[in-house]
Amino acid sequence: MNSKNARSVLKFIIGWPIALISLFFIFKAINPNLGLIGSYFTNVNIPTLIIGFLCFLVYFFLRAYSWQLILKAKSYKIPFREVLYFWELSEFKRYVPGSIWSLVSRGLSFTEKKVSKNDIIHSLTIEAELIIISCLTVSLLAMQFLVEPLPIAFKNLIYISFFTVIILVNLLFLFSFRIKKNIKNRFLSFLCCDFPTEKVIPLLFFSTLSFIFFGLGSFFVGFAFFYLNLTKIFVLCGFFTFSLLVGYLSFITPMGLGIREAVITSGLSNLVASSIAGLIAIFTRIFLIFTEIIFFLLTLIFYRLKSTKVQKIYDLANKFKFEILLGLFIIGYNAYFIIASILRYENYFAGRFDLGNMDQAVWNTLHGRFFQLTDPNGVDIVSRLAFHADYILVLLAPLYRIWSDPRLLLIVQTVVLSIGAVFVYLIAKNILKNKAFSLIFAGSFLINPALNYTNLYDFHPVTLGTTFLLAVFYFLYKKTYFWFVFFLILAGITKEQVWLIVALFGIYLFIINFRKNQSLFLKSFAILIFLTGICIFYYLIWWAIPGARGGNHFALAYYSEFGDSPSGIIKNIIFSPIKTILLIFQPSQSLYLLQLFLPLGFLSLFAPLFLIFAMPDLGINLLSSNAQLHQIYYQYSATITPFIFISGVFGLNFLLKLYSKINRLFFYTFLMFFSVFGAFFYGPLPGAANPNLDMFTKRLENKKAIDNFLTKIPRQYSIAATNNLGSHLSHRQKIFTIPVGIDRADIIVFLLNDSYAQPSLAAQIDMAKKMENNKNYIQIFKSGDFIA
């Protein structure tokens, strides 16, 4: 038998027969536990399980893509459809004890694709190194969890060593332009067989990303069956990846079968009962295998579809991979924040202030009562203009013909904010001419603490201004003046002071046209925008809002130190500079500025010109006596955030030109580090230092009973309700917020679980008790803390 025939026979043996043997070992591994899963499946959280399944699919896809990048770095141009199939076919055979079959299969498959034996061995070595490095990197997320049992001295040594390495790595890249070219790339390439830096970085990135998805998939699968603390999502993500690494290094067993389960059981026993930890280990293993079988079938179908259209789709996807990743980021953002926002509403965390107020104004407008609501601080029906000129609520009213529900406002808010990432990406791409930086900026936008809190804290029209103002700048930069004006108007009608920003755009447009000696028409157009913004702002603050409320704008009370009228306040702020500066740099205001600028690594400060657009709201917030205005937890930073990102893009552009010899990897690392650092220390996301997860972890047990009662109250009845019930009762003409309106309402309802209740929770409990003993009131319903 010649060598060619021998190779054909070996290829056949290693092919489907070994694949079928793999299936046997897979079945042997999971069969004893199938009945156990069945007993728990009746109470499984299906959406969470689906998320885990999708994360596992992404994990396998990114692993295969990493293999293609290795081959591509060695100058092999094999269609991804074939790489995907043959990689997964070989991976599927690792379940046969010994793991050698996977390596042999990989070698035979890619030898047929004209890859030399030396390059296959070389590539397998690189893949193994990438797995170890990536798993170690992701495992750092679980550092605190892993070192918990160690003595304090060892813990400190590990922490110091870790941060020293991080500092040294950054210093290396910072000063890499001073190092001779022949040794410049060795730091990264010594493990990856002398690949140049520009090829090593994508490899490390996608490989690390794949194991992040593995950890997330394991977490969500475990969470689907048993409660796992959401605040530890990334810690456990790192721990699950660490268990995979231990299993991978124990190469005698197929994929560490049994080893990984032992590590998971041992580690999770510190958080849950040992029996539950063991079940989580088993369930994550089974669903990983199940996902791989599905992934294998999908790759087989994709491989068999040898249509030119399929190849064109792949080529198109490869061409627009950054845009596809951006789309996936946006989908993930919408999935999380829509669910979180709706759960906040459904579990009575979103109240009359402010979701109920906005909802009532929209609902009244739909029913012919233009821009009206019950006075949030009183009992009269008033115009919304008595508080704010957020006329965009009127434009939202037609949407209530589709679904008349406050949750629609929450969905609209999340979707509009997520689209802001598209404009951040486009602005960065046009300025920096680099899609990788553009994607990092867009991702940073989506995890920005101020943006995330704004999204979570009920619904506010001005929040939509974040995206509108980004669109304004983008279309101005592209000189698409119709859309520039369109979004400028949309931004202006989100809140009265935004018209000042509109006026500033007029000044900016005039200056850039003056410098470029553009036409008289554009200069006149710029002056018109400036005058329109100033005049509308003046009319709203000095005339319209005071006329609607019968007195000055309510927010003027926050600036009483400077005067009691708009003119007096502005005059005293300008002519009392020392007092103004001292106010701006008080501790709480300084922390506010830190929280705003740190998530972009203070890049915005290198292009201060574009921060001028943020000055109206920055000044309003920093000089206010109301502490809420200089915190990122509310909507007050909505019109500041876009200009922090715009100036951040220009700031990075300035640094890239100034330090052109510095390796760009340093700036990639810098931007990603501060984005994640800011999100961790100041943001509300799962895995952050202080996440906002009450909507997931503190659900009302009597929610259905409360919902059923509230939906049966006729809309013609007036209601006095605690704030936490207000957004569920705002589809009526009269709703009062306790303690206001108790003596006027037809029905009074309490939900006595709000620590922020006014005047206090204790006072509301006392109110409810007195009513129970008052013959003028009849208790018609009670369920837990809910009383009507």
Side-chain angles (χ1 to χ4, degrees), residues 355-599:
L355 178 60
N357 291 331
M358 310 305 168
D359 175 62
Q360 191 184 30
V362 175
W363 184 81
N364 270 328
T365 299
L366 182 68
H367 290 83
R369 296 177 288 274
F370 182 80
F371 214 43
Q372 289 184 4
L373 76 165
T374 309
D375 185 347
N377 304 306
V379 294
D380 297 324
I381 295 174
V382 298
S383 170
R384 171 72 186 159
L385 186 60
F387 302 94
H388 291 297
D390 38 16
Y391 281 107
I392 199 165
L393 290 172
V394 176
L395 298 184
L396 294 173
L399 294 177
Y400 268 36
R401 292 196 178 278
I402 301 170
W403 187 29
S404 185
D405 193 284
R407 285 168 286 192
L408 181 63
L409 297 179
L410 300 175
I411 293 170
V412 167
Q413 177 171 262
T414 299
V415 171
V416 171
L417 277 177
S418 70
I419 293 171
V422 176
F423 288 109
V424 170
Y425 178 84
L426 292 172
I427 291 167
K429 190 176 78 165
N430 278 274
I431 304 302
L432 301 171
K433 314 298 183 187
N434 183 301
K435 287 188 175 183
F437 274 129
S438 304
L439 185 65
I440 295 170
F441 268 108
S444 177
F445 176 80
L446 292 173
I447 63 170
N448 181 264
L451 183 89
N452 294 164
Y453 275 115
T454 301
N455 200 160
L456 280 179
Y457 181 57
D458 291 10
F459 171 84
H460 298 90
V462 73
T463 300
L464 307 180
T466 301
T467 294
F468 296 156
L469 289 169
L470 286 166
V472 167
F473 187 88
Y474 172 72
F475 288 115
L476 175 60
Y477 185 83
K478 298 296 287 184
K479 298 180 181 178
T480 312
Y481 293 115
F482 172 80
W483 291 111
F484 163 68
V485 173
F486 175 77
F487 281 104
L488 204 59
I489 293 170
L490 283 182
I493 60 175
T494 60
K495 204 173 182 183
E496 56 276 6
Q497 75 262 26
V498 181
W499 289 104
L500 275 178
I501 301 175
V502 172
L504 289 172
F505 268 106
I507 295 174
Y508 177 72
L509 182 59
F510 181 83
I511 292 172
I512 60 175
N513 283 317
F514 185 81
R515 289 173 62 188
K516 295 178 181 179
N517 200 24
Q518 294 286 353
S519 67
L520 179 63
F521 170 76
L522 283 175
K523 292 173 185 174
S524 303
F525 177 55
I527 293 170
L528 178 63
I529 290 172
F530 169 73
L531 292 175
T532 301
I534 285 292
C535 290
I536 292 176
F537 174 74
Y538 178 81
Y539 171 72
L540 290 172
I541 299 297
W542 271 262
W543 296 97
I545 293 175
R549 66 182 287 111
N552 282 327
H553 194 302
F554 75 94
L556 294 183
Y558 304 155
Y559 311 92
S560 56
E561 290 185 55
F562 294 98
D564 55 6
S565 68
S567 302
I569 290 169
I570 293 171
K571 177 184 173 183
N572 289 323
I573 287 173
I574 294 171
F575 293 104
S576 306
I578 295 175
K579 183 179 181 180
T580 302
I581 292 169
L582 287 174
L583 264 177
I584 288 173
F585 291 102
Q586 285 186 356
S588 61
Q589 280 89 333
S590 298
L591 177 61
Y592 175 60
L593 290 171
L594 180 70
Q595 291 171 332
L596 286 175
F597 289 99
L598 182 138

Side-chain angles (χ1 to χ4, degrees), residues 93 151 156 182 191 262 310 312 325 357 361 368 426 432 434 440 472 493 592 607 619 624 645 708 720 724 726 762 782:
K93 292 158 189 170
N156 292 336
N182 63 335
L191 284 173
V310 174
K312 284 181 180 178
L325 282 172
N357 291 331
L426 292 172
L432 301 171
N434 183 301
I440 295 170
V472 167
I493 60 175
Y592 175 60
S624 172
F645 275 86
N708 289 335
N724 48 8
K782 184 172 183 179

Side-chain angles (χ1 to χ4, degrees), residues 598-749:
L598 182 138
L600 278 185
F602 303 100
L603 287 173
S604 307
L605 303 181
F606 292 96
L609 171 65
F610 300 98
L611 288 175
I612 291 172
F613 294 103
M615 287 304 168
D617 273 66
L618 265 176
I620 288 169
N621 294 351
L622 292 171
L623 297 174
S624 172
S625 61
N626 183 347
Q628 289 186 349
L629 266 69
H630 35 84
Q631 294 177 11
I632 62 169
Y633 311 115
Y634 306 100
Q635 75 277 13
Y636 303 110
S637 60
T639 56
I640 298 170
T641 301
F643 301 108
I644 287 176
F645 275 86
I646 290 167
S647 57
V649 170
F650 279 95
L652 179 59
N653 191 48
F654 169 76
L655 292 175
L656 286 171
K657 290 177 180 177
L658 186 64
Y659 300 106
S660 57
K661 292 184 179 180
I662 294 181
N663 194 312
R664 286 196 170 189
L665 178 62
F666 169 76
F667 292 105
Y668 291 139
T669 307
F670 179 89
L671 187 53
M672 286 191 288
F673 173 80
F674 277 100
S675 298
V676 174
F677 185 87
F680 176 77
F681 281 101
Y682 301 131
L685 292 172
N690 297 292
N692 186 337
L693 302 174
D694 286 353
M695 71 290 281
F696 297 104
T697 59
K698 296 181 180 178
R699 300 194 186 188
L700 277 179
E701 292 182 3
N702 57 340
K703 175 185 167 304
K704 280 190 177 180
I706 297 172
D707 289 345
N708 289 335
F709 179 83
L710 296 181
T711 55
K712 291 174 184 176
I713 301 175
R715 285 181 179 170
Q716 66 268 25
Y717 286 0
S718 62
I719 295 179
T722 50
N723 177 60
N724 48 8
L725 295 169
S727 61
H728 290 255
L729 296 163
S730 47
H731 285 189
R732 64 194 67 249
Q733 282 189 271
K734 289 190 175 183
I735 176 171
F736 317 126
T737 304
I738 290 173
V740 175
I742 282 185
D743 56 338
R744 300 281 295 273
D746 298 318
I747 296 176
I748 303 165
V749 286

